[in-house]
Amino acid sequence: MERRKQLRKYIQRAKSSLTLEKSIPIAQYGLFLALLSSASLILISRLFVWPYYRQIAMVVFVTLIVATMVFIWRRRVKEKEALHTLDLYFSHNELVTALSFKDDQDPLVQALLSKAIQKVEQAFIDFKARKKNLFRPKAFIGLFVTAVVLAILYVFPAATQIEAIEVEKEQAVIDDMKKEVAELEKKAQTKEVKEQLKELQNTLKEAETSEEALREVVKKQKELALKEQQLKDKQTASQDGVTDEQGLSKEEVEQLKELAQMQKGLTQNANATQTAMSKLGKPASNSLQNAIASANNASTNNQNNKQQGSQQSSGNSQSSNQQGQAGQSGQNNAQSGSQQQNSNSQGQGQGQGQGQGQGQGQGQGQGQGQGQGQGQGQGQGQGAGRGPGSRNLLTTPNRIGGSNETSVDGGALGDGSHVSEQQGNAPITKGSIKPYEEVIGSYKDSYLESSERLQLPKDLQNVVQSYFTSIESQ
């Protein structure tokens, strides 16, 4: 048994040697074919814009290398082939003869095994010393030429290849946008917000350019802002008792919180995408930049309003005494103006900001809010007040410099640079009181005309139109 194991060790060594000798030529041809295929793909990519041509060429190269290795493994030398090859270097085929018998107790078999053991070392030396044909000149020449051509094609790319690389970078920006929107969709809890973000993901899949994808993100951000404003208006109207509807439901409260968070996430996404596009040498168009800036300002104003609201609620107790004194003074002054004002309506209003105004029977102010109350006074400050009055009237400022016809420059907008900015006191004139329904129409027409001159996208114009429609319906 020991003699058989010794003979089989030599057979295994012969097998490994034969496998290597057989694999080297196959590997040379396989590598040549892989390089030739990659070079051919890169050469073809010079004819037209083909994004990801480098990655495709690399995948083809690796695939052919793996296929070559699989082919080598399938063509590996078997033990029987190694046995007969090594037996050729025995004088009388003692190796095959000795291993063909199974009975080691037979004297003849023992004699054959002993003779094979004596000759196996010399036979293996002769086997290793035989002439081998490992290298293929044609394969080596092909490898060298292909490698040189491939290096030249890589170092000196064509214009189409450079453009294809730019398309790849732009697609990477779109992919980053998709990932961030997908993360926001996972974080969303309410059904409404999830559906909105899911719709945005589907839209981004169809986007071909980064600007188109960015425009869709800004559009969705505007839609979420409009939805948030509608919920806030509903909440404010319910708290002030303007409508008989109940306040926001539990789901709507959660939705209001999520809308603010999703808008913040989309704002960060839009800003990062705009920066990435600038680095690629493809900045966003002027109209899209204006839309992004408008969205950023709206997001900043919402955060400021939240902070001011918390500060205002904490300071209500301190300003209550001052509000009472102001209300008493206004009531005394209102008696002198009751002859010119036939009737007073009852309501509540809150105002905050700085303003100056005059009225008979009614006082008005302009700022971040609007409110009316009985009384006559002039002042400047910041705070909140309550008093009887009507919310259906609005103070509109008179035109400074006369009532001449206005002229509008209908020319197209162009690019320019900032020249200077000066700050100073602007004149404040007395306004006139008009019904709310009469004023909102003129404001709407003026804003829509200005939005057309700004060349806003069609979808953003629809958002503006929807916003004024929601105001008019209240």
Side-chain angles (χ1 to χ4, degrees), residues 8 20 59 70 105 119 189 205 221 243 297 304 310 342 346 350 353 358 364 385 392 396 407 415 453-454 464:
R8 293 194 180 279
L20 180 62
V59 169
V70 173
Q105 302 301 325
K119 293 185 177 182
Q189 300 295 329
K205 291 179 181 178
Q221 183 182 6
T243 61
N297 293 335
N304 294 336
S310 61
N342 294 328
Q346 300 294 327
Q350 291 183 348
Q358 183 177 0
Q364 62 276 352
N392 296 325
T396 59
S407 60
D415 297 333
R453 295 187 70 248
L454 288 175
V464 175

Side-chain angles (χ1 to χ4, degrees), residues 435-448 468 472:
Y436 179 83
E437 293 80 1
E438 179 181 345
V439 175
I440 186 61
S442 61
Y443 274 100
K444 173 184 176 182
D445 295 338
S446 177
Y447 191 87
L448 291 179
F468 280 103
E472 291 177 337

Side-chain angles (χ1 to χ4, degrees), residues 74-100:
R74 292 177 62 90
R75 296 291 301 272
R76 68 188 183 279
V77 176
K78 303 297 190 293
E79 184 176 352
K80 185 177 181 180
E81 182 180 354
L83 170 63
H84 287 278
T85 303
L86 183 59
D87 186 66
L88 294 176
Y89 297 91
F90 284 82
S91 57
H92 300 288
N93 304 108
E94 289 89 347
L95 182 61
V96 173
T97 305
L99 293 178
S100 62

Side-chain angles (χ1 to χ4, degrees), residues 374-412:
Q374 289 186 348
Q376 180 178 3
Q378 178 176 351
Q380 183 176 3
Q382 183 173 359
R386 293 180 179 271
S390 173
R391 298 176 67 91
N392 296 325
L393 298 179
L394 184 66
T395 301
T396 59
N398 293 333
R399 177 178 177 83
I400 299 175
S403 58
N404 295 333
E405 293 293 333
T406 60
S407 60
V408 180
D409 185 2

Side-chain angles (χ1 to χ4, degrees), residues 1-197:
M1 183 64 67
E2 287 295 329
R3 287 175 292 188
R4 286 182 181 273
K5 289 183 179 180
Q6 292 180 9
L7 292 175
R8 293 194 180 279
K9 286 181 180 180
Y10 282 98
I11 295 174
Q12 290 296 326
R13 293 172 62 183
K15 175 183 175 183
S16 301
S17 181
L18 288 172
T19 301
L20 180 62
E21 294 171 10
K22 193 174 183 179
S23 300
I24 290 177
I26 297 176
Q28 294 174 34
Y29 285 111
L31 182 60
F32 167 67
L33 180 61
L35 282 177
L36 182 62
S37 300
S38 299
S40 300
L41 292 176
I42 293 179
L43 183 62
I44 293 174
S45 67
R46 301 173 73 92
L47 303 178
F48 55 91
V49 179
W50 186 9
Y52 304 103
Y53 72 92
R54 297 174 301 173
Q55 292 83 345
I56 295 174
M58 180 59 67
V59 169
V60 171
F61 177 81
V62 173
T63 301
L64 290 177
I65 292 296
V66 173
T68 301
M69 295 175 65
V70 173
F71 183 77
I72 290 174
W73 180 80
R74 292 177 62 90
R75 296 291 301 272
R76 68 188 183 279
V77 176
K78 303 297 190 293
E79 184 176 352
K80 185 177 181 180
E81 182 180 354
L83 170 63
H84 287 278
T85 303
L86 183 59
D87 186 66
L88 294 176
Y89 297 91
F90 284 82
S91 57
H92 300 288
N93 304 108
E94 289 89 347
L95 182 61
V96 173
T97 305
L99 293 178
S100 62
F101 296 99
K102 302 299 183 182
D103 189 6
D104 292 346
Q105 302 301 325
D106 191 304
L108 179 60
V109 174
Q110 292 180 2
L112 290 173
L113 290 174
S114 298
K115 191 174 182 179
I117 290 295
Q118 294 174 1
K119 293 185 177 182
V120 68
E121 181 67 28
Q122 184 61 41
F124 186 77
I125 293 175
D126 296 338
F127 166 78
K128 294 288 291 183
R130 78 190 189 285
K131 185 179 179 180
K132 307 177 185 67
N133 189 16
L134 300 178
F135 299 102
R136 301 292 189 268
K138 294 181 179 180
F140 264 97
I141 294 174
L143 280 172
F144 177 76
V145 174
T146 305
V148 171
V149 172
L150 189 60
I152 294 175
L153 294 176
Y154 185 80
V155 174
F156 302 100
T160 54
Q161 293 175 323
I162 296 175
E163 186 177 353
I165 294 174
E166 295 297 327
V167 173
E168 295 173 13
K169 295 179 180 179
E170 190 172 7
Q171 187 62 42
V173 174
I174 299 176
D175 293 339
D176 291 338
M177 296 176 66
K178 293 178 181 179
K179 292 178 182 178
E180 293 179 7
V181 173
E183 291 295 330
L184 291 176
E185 191 270 336
K186 291 179 180 179
K187 295 179 181 179
Q189 300 295 329
T190 59
K191 181 180 179 181
E192 179 72 18
V193 177
K194 272 187 170 294
E195 290 179 353
Q196 292 287 340
L197 295 177

Side-chain angles (χ1 to χ4, degrees), residues 71 178 212 252 340:
F71 183 77
K178 293 178 181 179
E212 182 180 351
E252 288 177 334
Q340 298 181 6

